[in-house]
Amino acid sequence: MANSGFQLLGYFLALGGWIGIISTTVLPQWKQSSYAGDAIIMAVGLYEGLWMSCASQSTGQVQCKIFDSLLSLDVHIQTCRALMVISVLMGFMAIIVSVVGMKCTKVGDNNPSTKSKIAISGGGLFLLSGLSTLVAVSWYAAQVSKHFFDPNTPINAKYELGPALFIGWAAAILMMLGGSFLCCSCVNEERRGQLYRQSQPSTAREANVKSSPAEKGEQYL
């Protein structure tokens, strides 16, 4: 029961991380216009994500424009797009695989060893998905910071880290933490199973040794 609870905890942590990864992928607030230093505070706030750029006016009106050309984008934006899409797909696969492998489900219950290996595979996919998101978000943040501290960048053209990046970091941590819980719980269960199987022959031999004198007495009678 303890392992089942540990697996469920890891699964729901990873599921929450996967939802956060989807939110991070679609949100346009990967970077936002900066008002630091002598920057002129404008009535329009600029945001930019992987798929579109948005302008938010002081009246509350928001206008967004999807990027027209893929090849005209910077290399880091194209790479981050690919990494986030791969992360979402791997997370979806991990959700399905983990459901099959967890102890609390009845699918494949006749073969516990195979079921445990499937759960470990699901946990590994969760780990890879979280790692992919972590790389994408951290790379994008590094590029934003690089341009912010570049003295050649005009003051009014500087951007700061957007809230979507922080959501991405939190989602990646949840995803990797949940995947680790799944893998660790299944590995511990397999080790206990191996120890149990190794102890069975010695127990059988001890039983045979204890029963042999009684059998010899019966033979003499």
Side-chain angles (χ1 to χ4, degrees), residues 86-87 89-95 97-98 118-131 175 179 183:
I86 291 172
S87 178
L89 293 177
M90 282 196 299
F92 179 73
M93 293 171 57
I95 289 172
V97 173
S98 298
I118 293 174
I120 293 175
S121 301
L125 286 173
F126 278 133
L127 286 171
L128 291 175
S129 177
L131 183 62
M175 182 75 84
C183 291

Side-chain angles (χ1 to χ4, degrees), residues 144-161:
V144 174
S145 300
K146 177 183 175 182
H147 286 91
F148 181 85
F149 292 107
D150 188 357
N152 297 323
T153 303
I155 295 177
N156 293 332
K158 291 186 176 182
Y159 285 87
E160 293 185 358
L161 305 181

Side-chain angles (χ1 to χ4, degrees), residues 34-44 156:
S34 174
Y35 304 112
D38 297 329
I40 299 175
I41 299 178
M42 300 178 294
V44 178
N156 293 332

Side-chain angles (χ1 to χ4, degrees), residues 156-194:
N156 293 332
K158 291 186 176 182
Y159 285 87
E160 293 185 358
L161 305 181
L165 294 179
F166 297 98
I167 297 175
W169 276 316
I173 292 173
L174 285 176
M175 182 75 84
M176 297 176 71
L177 192 62
S180 301
F181 282 0
L182 273 174
C183 291
C184 291
S185 63
C186 295
V187 168
N188 291 334
E189 184 179 352
E190 280 195 348
R191 286 178 180 175
R192 283 198 297 268
Q194 290 176 358

Side-chain angles (χ1 to χ4, degrees), residues 55-114:
S56 175
Q57 300 180 2
S58 58
T59 58
Q61 185 179 4
V62 179
Q63 294 179 342
C64 295
K65 182 175 184 288
I66 298 176
F67 296 138
D68 296 327
S69 175
L70 173 64
L71 299 178
S72 64
L73 296 174
D74 294 336
V75 175
H76 74 279
I77 296 180
Q78 298 181 30
T79 308
C80 289
R81 272 187 179 186
L83 288 173
M84 294 304 293
V85 171
I86 291 172
S87 178
V88 172
L89 293 177
M90 282 196 299
F92 179 73
M93 293 171 57
I95 289 172
I96 297 175
V97 173
S98 298
V99 167
V100 176
M102 286 194 302
K103 290 178 64 178
C104 59
T105 60
K106 298 299 182 182
V107 182
D109 199 23
N110 294 330
N111 195 339
S113 177
T114 304

